[in-house]
Amino acid sequence: MSAPVRSDADLIAAHTSGDPHAFAELFRRHRDRLWAVALRTMRDHEDASDALQDAMISAFRNAGSFRAESQVTTWLHRIVVNACLDRIRRRQARPTVPLPDTGPAEPAVPRDAIEEQDTRMAVQDALAALPEEQRAPIVLVDVEGYSVSDTAAILGVAEGTVKSRCARGRVKLAKLLGHLRNPSADANVPDDANAKRRREGR
């Protein structure tokens, strides 16, 4: 008979009591979601990896401060977001331009692959252009699908603050990404076809 699955709170309690495997199990359980938040907040794989490592070291060392006033996942996400924002603030004094990531394999249709990559890079650039106080809630609510209340708990702010920051961030994103929604009428039309239309007065 298999052992019962321990809850997140049980794992935290076991870790603080000296169980050498409890925290690793907790991290494995939530690693993918935590990594997604770190990557979308930092935009750069290496920076996201460093921020996530910083966060997990902090969580490992400070697990005893968890008071069960929120869910363990909320506590973990707050630590990850704070680690990301700390790195962003430190990096602002020495900004760098990360190289775009390329996948290990290209899709079957090259044109579709290029368009998809262009769109993904445009969205990443737009998110990176947002102030950090707007980027974090936008990533959590609009990208990762967290509720406003969960996002407020993760960021340690009021729900109204999350809503207002998301609203301001969405306005900026709409301006930055407007070209994706309203492409030129001649977009994707070969040059010779455009020339023919001009000659015919259309």
Side-chain angles (χ1 to χ4, degrees):
M1 184 175 179
S2 60
V5 176
R6 293 187 289 183
S7 69
D8 291 346
D10 289 340
L11 289 173
I12 283 288
H15 167 64
T16 56
S17 296
D19 184 333
H21 307 294
F23 191 84
E25 183 179 343
L26 181 69
F27 176 62
R28 282 194 299 270
R29 183 176 295 177
H30 301 291
R31 175 179 52 200
D32 291 347
R33 198 85 185 269
L34 296 172
W35 166 249
V37 169
L39 181 59
R40 294 186 190 281
T41 303
M42 299 300 298
R43 189 179 174 233
D44 177 78
H45 277 76
E46 184 175 348
D47 286 342
S49 179
D50 289 343
L52 184 59
Q53 181 176 345
D54 290 347
M56 290 304 98
I57 290 174
S58 177
F60 184 92
R61 292 174 175 172
N62 298 299
S65 66
F66 178 71
R67 293 290 180 263
E69 296 172 354
S70 63
Q71 294 184 355
V72 174
T73 51
T74 299
W75 177 72
L76 288 173
H77 279 83
R78 182 186 301 134
I79 294 174
V80 170
V81 170
N82 285 339
C84 290
L85 296 181
D86 284 345
R87 281 191 166 268
I88 290 172
R89 294 183 190 111
R90 291 199 300 267
R91 192 176 60 186
Q92 283 176 342
R94 45 182 181 80
T96 58
V97 180
L99 296 174
D101 296 319
T102 55
E106 294 294 334
V109 183
R111 178 177 292 276
D112 288 347
I114 293 173
E115 291 175 354
E116 181 180 339
Q117 181 174 343
D118 286 346
T119 298
R120 184 169 61 250
M121 290 177 61
V123 172
Q124 290 176 343
D125 287 343
L127 282 172
L130 292 178
E132 62 186 52
E133 68 171 16
Q134 295 172 12
R135 186 192 314 172
I138 285 285
V139 166
L140 291 169
V141 175
D142 292 343
V143 180
E144 294 301 322
Y146 286 93
S147 67
V148 170
S149 61
D150 285 345
T151 299
I154 290 170
L155 297 178
V157 298
E159 292 185 23
T161 301
V162 171
K163 292 177 181 178
S164 63
R165 290 179 180 178
C166 282
R168 292 197 299 271
R170 288 166 188 150
V171 169
K172 292 182 180 179
L173 286 177
K175 293 178 180 178
L176 293 169
L177 300 174
H179 63 285
L180 296 180
R181 295 186 302 171
N182 302 296
S184 168
D186 290 336
N188 299 324
V189 178
D191 291 340
D192 55 350
N194 285 331
K196 182 178 179 181
R197 288 170 57 188
R198 286 194 294 268
R199 287 196 301 269
E200 294 175 353
R202 290 188 287 172

